Amino acid sequence: MQLKRVVVTGLGALTPIGNNIEEYWNGLVSGKSGSAPITHYDAEKFKVKFACELKNYNIEDHFERKEGRKLDKFAQYALISSDEAILDSKLDLDKIDKFRVGVIWGAGIGGLETFQNEVLNFAAGDGTPRFNPFFIPKMIADIAPGNISIKHGFMGPNYTTVSACASAANAMIDALNYIRLGHCDVIVTGGSEAAVTIAGMGGFGAMHALSTRNDSPETASRPFDATRDGFVLGEGAGALILEEYEHAKARGAKIYAEVAGGGLSSDAYHMTAPHPDGIGVVRVMQNCLRDAGMEIEDVDAINTHGTSTLLGDVAELKAISEVFGEHAKNININSTKSMTGHLLGAAGAIEAIASILSMEHGIVPPTINHTTVDENIDPSLNLTLNKAQKREINVAMSNTFGFGGHNACVVFKKLK
């Protein structure tokens, strides 16, 4: 069976450094930090008092009051970013076969704030079960793609992938396969998350996973730096329109890039810690290259998982060196989480978008906040430190890994 080619024809983003694609890209290239003191709730008594929240986000700018009350933030973010991507794709929704348009979305947690608030309200009461009738529909992780499909009438495959921080990358790989196997013409994919909440920050804080750099939030996310002390939690969404190549070409669509392949693997090691030798990470990149039919020398740039944790950063870079050998020195390696923080289930989407835009503009966004060399990291690797670098990029790879040992890797290439 001849697999069909799959391309990207639309992008949408809602991130801590920009509320649309243009703002997001400008924030990336300029090295903008999205980390700041928390405003969503009073964090005075919390060990960590900062996060990468959205800026200037007002629900009433996007939804009527009645509609907005039915949506958890993660679903709001999904609708906003997917609307931008659909508009960007210039799909004629009146002419396409909506039975062949799907929505496959990623979310690591889902409606955490809704769950938190309902439980807190019950606990503050007298034991009488008074719950919002929208409690469950707002909370469940699959409601984001459900709402996207309902809004636009898309009747193809519709579901959510949940693999912690790899969720959006898993969604993109599923979307890639549905299209190239001929089951769909178009799929709206990506991911969203809204975990900067009392429960989210409290839970990750209890794990000692977060940076505690309260004296300097804007520099707290510092992947590959010797003084890194954990990740910075972020929120937002990223959306991509994946489309069968001939379908896109026939309607004269703008094509950003081709989705060349995707790879998956499992560490099978620990609930939260990466395998110290990066065995699963080595395999996922190898699987991705094999799926794409590419050689290691083809890869020009890698947007790493790079969360700013002591173990994860070193394991990933060791894996890159093992997979790519001497060619690793020729690759621009970066971590855009240094600017956006860690968007959990949405991370793979916004980082894939960063990789695609890097190819389009010939610029690799920087890994910011690097001040101190880590002796455990190979100094010959180009980590794109502190300043964006110009270069031609024909092939870009994006890595995402999740608690539970889930590894996902997607590779994009310029259309030729």
Side-chain angles (χ1 to χ4, degrees):
M1 177 180 177
Q2 182 69 38
L3 294 178
K4 296 180 182 295
R5 296 172 71 185
V6 180
V7 294
V8 180
T9 57
L11 300 174
L14 184 61
T15 79
I17 60 170
N19 291 353
N20 54 51
I21 284 293
E22 182 179 3
E23 290 180 4
Y24 174 48
W25 177 246
N26 289 339
L28 287 173
V29 174
S30 64
K32 181 179 180 180
S33 173
S35 183
I38 288 170
T39 63
H40 289 344
Y41 60 89
D42 184 357
E44 180 58 33
K45 294 184 179 180
F46 282 67
K47 186 176 181 181
V48 178
K49 308 178 194 307
F50 60 93
C52 285
E53 297 176 333
L54 298 183
K55 313 296 186 298
N56 303 313
Y57 177 77
N58 184 355
I59 184 174
E60 293 178 358
D61 292 340
H62 304 280
F63 304 97
E64 293 183 2
R65 190 171 184 179
K66 185 177 180 180
E67 181 188 9
R69 290 173 63 185
K70 300 176 184 178
L71 300 169
D72 185 89
K73 285 180 180 176
F74 96 101
Q76 296 171 28
Y77 301 164
L79 282 163
I80 293 165
S81 63
S82 60
D83 279 355
E84 182 184 11
I86 292 166
L87 185 65
D88 184 42
S89 73
K90 294 182 172 59
L91 279 166
D92 188 335
L93 301 187
D94 294 323
K95 292 183 178 180
I96 58 174
D97 181 353
K98 292 188 178 180
F99 285 102
R100 293 186 57 82
V101 181
V103 187
I104 303 178
W105 201 256
I109 299 175
L112 182 60
E113 185 174 57
T114 294
F115 183 84
Q116 164 198 290
N117 291 345
E118 290 293 325
V119 172
L120 288 176
N121 288 340
F122 174 74
D126 62 4
T128 303
R130 297 186 180 92
F131 290 92
N132 189 313
F134 292 105
F135 173 24
I136 299 301
K138 285 177 67 174
M139 179 196 71
I140 51 179
D142 65 295
I143 205 65
N147 279 316
I148 293 168
S149 69
I150 290 166
K151 180 172 183 178
H152 300 288
F154 299 149
M155 291 177 280
N158 184 279
Y159 61 90
T160 289
T161 57
V162 181
S163 50
C165 311
S167 297
N170 269 112
M172 287 186 284
I173 292 169
D174 278 12
L176 164 67
N177 287 328
Y178 268 98
I179 296 172
R180 66 180 175 182
L181 288 171
H183 300 310
C184 292
D185 298 324
V186 179
I187 293 183
V188 182
T189 189
S192 59
E193 207 78 87
V196 182
T197 65
I198 290 169
M201 292 296 294
F204 282 113
M207 292 174 59
H208 304 289
L210 301 176
S211 170
T212 57
R213 201 178 290 271
N214 291 305
D215 58 333
S216 181
E218 67 279 0
T219 66
S221 185
R222 43 181 59 209
F224 317 133
D225 189 273
T227 63
R228 65 191 182 278
D229 67 331
F231 69 81
V232 179
L233 191 59
E235 63 176 357
L240 303 89
I241 306 301
L242 301 196
E243 188 168 352
E244 194 272 321
Y245 171 62
E246 295 296 339
H247 187 274
K249 190 169 71 169
R251 68 180 186 87
K254 173 184 177 178
I255 294 175
Y256 284 96
E258 182 170 359
V259 189
L264 301 170
S265 76
S266 175
D267 279 0
Y269 174 72
H270 189 273
M271 282 197 300
T272 57
H275 194 289
D277 296 325
I279 295 173
V281 179
V282 167
R283 181 55 60 92
V284 78
M285 289 187 285
Q286 291 174 336
N287 289 347
C288 187
L289 290 171
R290 188 179 303 112
D291 186 57
M294 289 183 172
E295 303 297 328
I296 58 174
E297 292 81 12
D298 294 328
V299 177
D300 301 307
I302 301 175
N303 194 331
T304 63
H305 186 57
T307 58
S308 188
T309 60
L310 287 171
L311 297 176
D313 289 7
V314 170
E316 183 175 9
L317 292 179
K318 284 182 177 178
I320 288 172
S321 292
E322 182 172 340
V323 171
F324 292 94
E326 282 297 304
H327 180 62
K329 300 174 184 178
N330 303 321
I331 298 172
N332 264 90
I333 299 167
N334 70 338
S335 173
T336 50
K337 286 188 180 73
S338 59
M339 294 172 277
T340 65
H342 193 353
L343 270 64
L344 307 179
I350 66 165
E351 290 159 19
I353 290 168
S355 296
I356 291 165
L357 293 176
S358 292
M359 286 196 297
E360 182 177 38
H361 296 285
I363 302 173
V364 181
T367 305
I368 67 169
N369 299 327
H370 192 278
T371 59
T372 309
V373 172
D374 184 342
E375 295 180 355
N376 297 304
I377 292 175
D378 183 349
S380 69
L381 296 176
N382 179 3
L383 303 178
T384 322
L385 299 177
N386 298 319
K387 187 177 180 181
Q389 295 178 14
K390 292 183 178 180
R391 70 169 289 174
E392 183 178 2
I393 305 166
N394 292 305
V395 175
M397 177 178 280
S398 180
N399 286 338
T400 49
F401 317 133
F403 285 170
H406 313 294
N407 304 313
C409 177
V410 186
V411 66
F412 302 93
K413 67 180 181 180
K414 281 185 177 177
L415 188 69
K416 294 183 179 179

